[in-house]
Amino acid sequence: MKRTPVLSAAPPQKHLEALAKYCATVCEIECCGLDACDFSPVHIASYYMSRNVRSPSRVAQEIIEQAKTLKSNFGSNGASARGVAIHELNERMTARRVDILAEMLERQVALAESHSRDRADG
């Protein structure tokens, strides 16, 4: 069983990489790239709570903004539209895969936020 990583605070521009490493629960990211990640809402909520207990919504918004930026830079309709290689994550993505990743992250973060609000209210 893989040990849960202890994370130090990272600058906002590093959330996507740090989130992927945090969610690498299936395998090691260096081995399987993003296929090692479980981006379920519970893991995403756990990630942003570990980053900022007082303002987790701020971290959630930063993740969404960074996903949108990734898509606008490297997605199908982005500035380069050729995809991207992220060596730290052992991942080479086509423009379409960038689109899928960014859209999935936006959706999963929104779900995580929704569940977090429901739990806080209940």
Side-chain angles (χ1 to χ4, degrees), residues 24-73:
T25 60
V26 179
C27 186
E28 297 294 325
I29 201 146
E30 294 83 3
C31 173
C32 296
L34 293 175
D35 291 336
C37 300
D38 178 359
F39 290 113
S40 61
V42 69
H43 286 125
I44 292 173
S46 174
Y47 168 80
Y48 63 67
M49 289 296 292
S50 74
R51 291 299 185 164
N52 190 337
V53 176
R54 295 185 187 267
S55 297
S57 293
R58 181 179 306 152
V59 177
Q61 272 311 117
E62 290 172 356
I63 294 168
I64 289 171
E65 290 305 315
Q66 289 173 28
K68 288 179 180 178
T69 300
L70 179 70
K71 184 177 176 180
S72 69
N73 287 336

